[in-house]
Amino acid sequence: MKKLQLGVLGLGEGRSIISGAVNSDMWDVRLICDVNEALCQEMMEKFDIKDYTVSYRDMLEDPGIDAIGIYTPDHLHAAHIIMALEAGKHVICTKPLTTDLKEGKRILDASLKSDKKVFVGQSTRFFESMIRQREAFEQGKLGDICTVEACYNADHRWFLEKSWAKSNTFKWLFGGLSHPVDLIRWYLPDIEEVMAYGDVSQNARDLGHGNPDIMHVLFKTASGRIARVSGTYSCVLPPEQRDSGMSCILRGTNGSSQADYHELRYSEQIQGGDPVIMHFNKDSYYFRFGGRHHHAGEYQNYIEYFARCLCDSKNPAPDVREGIVTVSCLLAIERSMEQGRAVRLSEILSENGLEELV
């Protein structure tokens, strides 16, 4: 297939998709964009990119760009997605799709008016351990899923040193917990109700952050199954040999499996069989630079998946609709933490004119 031409907006997290694209046979990075011109120049030199701009509108006016990768702060995603769709570009947007479902309705309307596709970059789905777990699930090895447990725990106090991370617009609910919540919805897409508790740790308070960085959530599906998610973002972690910072556990009628992220480890136990523990020697692919903070390998996996979707005229997953329902789940969690009650996703969707997605 002819290489697709990518424009990348936002070069902090965006450097991971740049790395994925320049190492892919499916993509070329045509243009990069950030308000920080020095960062543009740094990324040009690091990845041998031919051109940059500090104007998003200039990027959108480039007729040679097929798709825009959006890696700006969460609260800016909606405006940037809509501008890209109106300019006739396909869109890859890092999670979350948006933080405001009124904007979510605008994104949905813009996508319906456009013949272009929107892919939500829930990168964790495209990490080696999670890929192997999904394969086992789709092969039916575990039987029917009884429950799912997922977590994302990290000592991200370094991140709160960024000035914009101290603003009220930045929330670990969207920046962190959205990963395990997406994994829950990947396996249990009929989530209908959440009950959540959250707290702001003293470590986060000391760094000037006021939104919850400790969250524990229970989910209930329409079919009555339950699941749970946990996240902490400002606490010291146990050793890797004892615990994983990000995991997804599936418990089924015929077996169970666990995918551990940073450890590149997958384990499964099928009823009547021997336990299986797999370690993947792919650190150099997934963690190419920046230690464990940038995981470019899974970005390469997901942009190549998106390229195949475009080539085959298939809708990517997660798409706009799935992305919106996941955001409704996050907003239901936020409301549950604030009001101390269980909150149904239908309540959130209906308030924002999105009843069709209930």
Side-chain angles (χ1 to χ4, degrees), residues 102 335 341 345-355:
K102 291 183 174 59
R335 184 171 295 181
R341 65 178 178 90
L345 272 61
S346 59
E347 176 183 328
I348 304 293
L349 290 166
S350 297
E351 289 174 2
N352 291 279
L354 293 161
E355 295 88 347

Side-chain angles (χ1 to χ4, degrees), residues 94-215:
T94 187
K95 56 77 199 163
L97 181 71
T98 180
T99 58
D100 183 340
L101 281 193
K102 291 183 174 59
E103 293 178 333
K105 181 70 164 61
R106 292 177 57 222
I107 295 172
L108 180 60
D109 291 344
S111 70
L112 293 173
K113 290 178 183 177
S114 170
D115 63 347
K116 303 302 178 182
K117 298 188 182 299
V118 178
F119 171 51
V120 185
Q122 290 285 173
S123 59
T124 309
R125 295 189 185 193
F126 296 86
F127 199 78
E128 195 73 25
S129 312
M130 281 64 183
I131 291 170
R132 298 303 179 97
Q133 185 175 50
R134 186 71 182 188
E135 288 174 352
F137 164 76
E138 292 180 348
Q139 291 165 5
K141 293 174 70 175
L142 307 179
D144 294 331
I145 296 301
C146 301
T147 187
V148 185
E149 302 153 38
C151 70
Y152 179 19
N153 300 295
D155 188 352
H156 279 341
R157 283 176 284 180
W158 62 271
F159 192 86
L160 295 180
E161 295 174 3
K162 300 173 184 286
S163 58
W164 62 267
K166 291 183 173 64
S167 73
N168 196 48
T169 57
F170 176 75
K171 299 176 181 180
W172 284 119
L173 173 65
F174 292 98
L177 204 72
S178 55
H179 284 296
V181 168
D182 175 69
L183 292 174
I184 294 290
R185 291 207 61 252
W186 200 16
Y187 292 101
L188 299 175
D190 61 334
I191 297 292
E192 68 173 13
E193 186 175 275
V194 304
M195 183 69 208
Y197 294 93
D199 190 20
V200 183
S201 72
Q202 189 59 52
N203 285 349
R205 294 179 194 277
D206 289 345
L207 289 166
H209 190 66
N211 289 319
D213 63 319
I214 300 172
M215 290 164 280

Side-chain angles (χ1 to χ4, degrees), residues 299-318:
Y299 286 67
Q300 184 169 337
N301 290 349
Y302 81 55
I303 63 171
E304 290 182 348
Y305 160 77
F306 188 47
R308 291 190 292 270
C309 287
L310 295 179
C311 183
D312 297 337
S313 298
K314 291 183 178 178
N315 214 34

